[in-house]
């Protein structure tokens, strides 16, 4: 199984860009990286998914370097409502295994 | 609202007992996933079903079992419960069959969870 590691927490301020990096050393060629956001007492919510290079949607960007041993979720211009726990997920094609990172608690301050 | 429903919302039971958690996926989704979230273990993938068949297995204990019915709802059965089984149990659904292929896209929609407390 892929091992995924994320920082436990990080603080930011409104309007700043937040970058969260997930390490996944043992990732195979066909494995996907997905990021989820979770608020207290709620189920995780999909943010973005990528396979390689860069993916951007209306809320975030995902950067995956060529060696694919890590990925970085970028949240532009965060607001107070972005305070949440962010999880990276490696979806392994072999055996359809799913491995979440431990989650990064992001606190956005005014 | 993700469109995924889970019942019950809360469940309190005693050690040694057996419980059943229920999940209804989003309309049209054939894949159902079960996860356990505890304070010390984080989010753990338990099992995935696709259109009634088991698709993938994660860290699911032998005391736990699941199934997906013809109407696509799923049930997670937890037996011989221990204190350590206290956790949030999430169900998620997606429309994808197999995740991880280069041309695939797999967005999972999570339910609100069932909070299980074992006393």
């Amino acid at each position: 199984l892929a091992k995924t590691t994320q920082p436990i927490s990080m603080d930011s301020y409104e309007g700043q860009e937040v970058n969260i990096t997930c390490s996944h050393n043992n990732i195979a060629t066909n494995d996907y990286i997905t990021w989820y956001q979770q608020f207290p007492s709620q189920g995780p919510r999909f943010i973005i998914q990528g396979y390689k290079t860069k993916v951007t949607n209306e809320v975030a960007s995902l950067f995956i370097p060529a060696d694919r041993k890590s990925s970085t979720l970028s949240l532009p211009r965060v607001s107070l409502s972005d305070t949440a726990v962010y999880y990276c997920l490696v979806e392994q094609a072999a055996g359809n295994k799913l491995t979440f990172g431990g989650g990064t608690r992001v606190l956005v301050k005014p | 609202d993700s469109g995924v429903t889970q019942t019950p919302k809360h469940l309190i039971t005693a050690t040694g007992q057996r419980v059943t958690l229920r999940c209804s996926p989003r309309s049209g989704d054939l894949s159902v996933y079960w996860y356990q979230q505890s304070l010390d273990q984080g989010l753990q993938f338990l099992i995935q079903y696709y259109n009634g068949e088991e698709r993938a297995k994660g860290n699911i204990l032998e005391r736990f079992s699941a199934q997906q019915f013809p109407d696509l709802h799923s049930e997670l059965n937890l037996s011989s419960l221990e204190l350590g089984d206290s956790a949030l149990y999430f169900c998620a659904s997606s429309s994808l069959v197999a995740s991880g292929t280069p041309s695939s896209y797999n967005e999972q929609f999570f339910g609100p969870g069932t909070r299980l407390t074992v006393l």
Side-chain angles (χ1 to χ4, degrees):
Chain A
L1 284 180
K3 181 173 170 57
T4 54
T5 307
Q6 310 174 226
I8 292 175
S9 65
M10 58 176 53
D11 292 355
S12 183
Y13 291 90
E14 279 190 296
Q16 288 190 336
E17 179 181 80
V18 171
N19 296 305
I20 310 170
T21 296
C22 178
S23 297
H24 29 74
N25 293 330
N26 192 24
I27 191 170
T29 306
N30 290 346
D31 295 350
Y32 261 78
I33 297 106
T34 313
W35 284 83
Y36 286 84
Q37 176 193 55
Q38 187 178 29
F39 297 110
S41 300
Q42 293 185 23
R45 188 175 68 174
F46 176 92
I47 301 175
I48 197 166
Q49 184 178 72
Y51 167 67
K52 60 181 178 181
T53 61
K54 178 182 175 182
V55 178
T56 299
N57 62 21
E58 62 275 10
V59 298
S61 294
L62 177 59
F63 301 92
I64 304 171
D67 65 7
R68 303 181 77 238
K69 292 186 176 181
S70 67
S71 60
T72 299
L73 173 71
S74 180
L75 305 172
R77 299 179 298 282
V78 293
S79 63
L80 297 177
S81 63
D82 292 317
T83 292
V85 180
Y86 293 82
Y87 291 92
C88 68
L89 168 66
V90 171
E91 303 189 43
Q92 296 179 263
N96 293 312
K97 299 296 185 185
L98 301 158
T99 307
F100 275 97
T104 299
R105 190 173 300 275
V106 173
L107 173 62
V108 180
K109 303 175 183 177
Chain B
D1 184 359
S2 67
V4 178
T5 60
Q6 290 187 248
T7 56
K9 193 171 175 63
H10 301 277
L11 197 50
I12 301 175
T13 187
T15 55
Q17 295 298 305
R18 172 189 165 94
V19 297
T20 297
L21 312 183
R22 182 189 170 103
C23 167
S24 293
R26 288 190 325 152
S27 178
D29 283 355
L30 299 180
S31 280
V32 169
Y33 307 77
W34 285 98
Y35 296 90
Q36 179 192 58
Q37 185 173 38
S38 58
L39 284 175
D40 57 343
Q41 294 288 325
L43 269 165
Q44 299 283 320
F45 166 62
L46 296 178
I47 197 164
Q48 179 200 0
Y49 277 82
Y50 172 74
N51 203 21
E53 293 190 5
E54 183 183 301
R55 185 78 183 167
K57 240 178 183 176
N59 300 323
I60 188 166
L61 299 172
E62 285 192 11
R63 301 183 286 109
F64 296 180
S65 65
Q67 55 183 337
Q68 187 179 26
F69 294 87
D71 67 353
L72 300 177
H73 91 272
S74 178
E75 292 181 356
L76 179 66
N77 301 297
L78 315 176
S79 61
S80 303
L81 285 168
E82 303 174 0
L83 296 177
D85 297 327
S86 295
L88 261 173
Y89 290 84
F90 288 106
C91 160
S93 74
S94 77
S95 57
L96 193 69
V97 173
S99 64
T101 54
S103 60
S104 69
Y105 174 83
N106 186 25
E107 177 176 352
Q108 294 183 45
F109 295 85
F110 282 76
T114 293
R115 183 173 293 280
L116 174 66
T117 303
V118 182
L119 301 175

